[in-house]
């Protein structure tokens, strides 16, 4: 702060796709941190429903997933009064800027995106243009709001780098238009694995998977899943590469209680597996039950939820249009 001026907050943009049912892993790795960021940053958070349709999804599932995720974000602490929370498809500027940026993205750059290769191999029957192009839509999401910081997982850093390349190319061809965003992997986000297969990430599939603890599971279901969690034939509660199930449970417990894996090891050094798994389950229930209660209160009145969506979209639209109009004028469109 200099000469009595208030230092401008850096702007953060992040988005999450409404695919599947959000898990404890999503909560501990990403969602729980979004609420607190508004105190330090100027934040925009979006439910990325446009990104969700690159894979086959039933209309009723997309609608329900989108409303569920939007309400969950509020329930975990994202305050629509402190930040801008909106549905991506409610702001048409995302799609408009994506088309414009396609013309400043080289085919070779897009073809090198590793996630496109991986997802194409997993679903070869649905290799659509949207799947190929979604990193450009992600660039539009970020650049529309002149974001300084983009919290992402490590697997998305390549897409942020593409976004920077596109922004640099446009800025060099015309004049400075876009802020150069920086991708940041949250250091505090815990990587959570399946309770039934601790070598696999805890997934958002809507199936009745005993390995995934969903944020909206009841306390009874949560306890049952933790009690059935895969461990090993040993009896020692300690983290080790050959004890992946126990290590995963220790990581979960540490993330839930604010401790470390080492402190959790000390706490349970004299416990058997049954007692240990019960305590981890209880810690999960203690953290998730208030979220479920807040979520159910929000979902009792979808009209109120839609009003919050409308308000957030209007705020986002105003910011997005400023950027989009600059882009249109610089390219040479008649306005």
């Amino acid at each position: 702060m200099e000469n009595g001026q208030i230092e401008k907050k850096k702007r953060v943009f992040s988005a999450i796709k409404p695919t599947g049912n959000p898990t404890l892993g999503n909560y501990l790795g990403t969602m729980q941190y979004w609420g607190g960021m508004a105190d330090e940053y100027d934040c925009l958070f979006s439910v990325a429903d446009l990104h969700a349709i690159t894979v086959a999804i039933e209309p009723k599932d997309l609608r329900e997933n989108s409303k569920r995720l939007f309400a969950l974000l509020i329930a975990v602490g994202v305050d629509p009064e402190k930040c801008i929370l909106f549905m991506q498809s409610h702001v048409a500027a995302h799609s408009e800027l994506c088309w414009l940026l396609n013309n400043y993205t080289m085919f070779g750059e897009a073809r090198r995106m590793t996630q496109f290769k991986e997802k194409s191999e997993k679903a070869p029957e649905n290799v659509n243009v949207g799947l190929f192009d979604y990193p450009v839509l992600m660039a539009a999401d970020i650049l529309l709001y002149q974001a300084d910081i983009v919290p992402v997982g490590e697997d998305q850093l390549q897409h942020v780098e593409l976004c920077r390349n596109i922004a640099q190319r446009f800025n060099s061809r015309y004049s400075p238009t876009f802020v150069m965003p920086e991708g940041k992997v949250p250091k505090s986000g815990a990587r959570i694995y399946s309770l039934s297969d601790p070598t696999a990430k805890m997934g958002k599939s809507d199936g009745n998977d005993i390995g995934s603890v969903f944020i909206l599971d009841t306390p009874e279901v949560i306890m049952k899943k933790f009690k059935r969690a895969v461990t090993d034939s040993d009896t020692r509660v300690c983290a080790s590469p050959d004890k992946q199930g126990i290590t995963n449970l220790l990581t979960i417990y540490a993330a839930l209680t604010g401790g470390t894996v080492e402190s959790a090891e000390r706490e349970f050094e004299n416990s058997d597996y049954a007692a240990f798994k019960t305590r981890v389950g209880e810690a999960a229930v203690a953290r998730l039950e208030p979220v479920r209660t807040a979520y159910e209160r929000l979902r009792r009145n979808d009209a109120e939820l839609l009003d919050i969506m409308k308000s957030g979209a209007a705020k986002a639209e105003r910011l997005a249009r400023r950027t989009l109009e600059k882009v249109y004028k610089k390219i040479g469109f008649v306005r």
Side-chain angles (χ1 to χ4, degrees), residues 187-198:
K187 293 180 181 179
S188 49
R191 189 169 179 83
I192 306 302
Y193 294 91
S194 167
L195 300 186
S196 58
D197 178 8

Side-chain angles (χ1 to χ4, degrees), residues 11-51:
R11 180 167 290 168
V12 166
F13 174 86
S14 196
I16 183 169
K17 286 192 297 184
T19 51
N21 192 353
T23 67
L24 176 64
N26 300 126
Y27 172 76
L28 293 176
T30 305
M31 294 169 68
Q32 68 169 331
Y33 300 108
W34 280 12
M37 294 180 77
D39 295 328
E40 186 177 353
Y41 300 104
D42 176 16
C43 294
L44 292 101
F45 299 123
S46 178
V47 173
D49 51 347
L50 292 175
H51 285 284

Side-chain angles (χ1 to χ4, degrees), residues 156-191:
Q156 293 288 331
L157 282 174
Q158 188 187 33
H159 294 159
V160 178
E161 193 57 38
L162 175 65
C163 174
R164 289 171 58 86
N165 290 344
I166 296 168
Q168 181 63 49
R169 187 172 293 125
F170 192 95
N171 290 349
S172 297
R173 179 164 177 178
Y174 300 101
S175 62
T177 306
F178 298 119
V179 168
M180 295 294 286
E182 180 183 356
K184 282 197 172 181
V185 178
K187 293 180 181 179
S188 49
R191 189 169 179 83

Side-chain angles (χ1 to χ4, degrees), residues 97-132:
L97 185 60
C98 178
W99 170 249
L100 299 177
L101 296 184
N102 276 330
N103 300 279
Y104 302 88
T105 307
M106 299 301 104
F107 182 78
E109 288 178 311
R111 189 172 55 185
R112 285 194 293 272
M113 298 295 104
T114 55
Q115 280 214 337
F116 171 71
K117 296 175 184 176
E118 292 169 0
K119 291 183 178 181
S120 298
E121 290 170 1
K122 287 181 181 178
E125 75 288 349
N126 189 38
V127 185
N128 58 70
V129 175
L131 184 65
F132 180 77

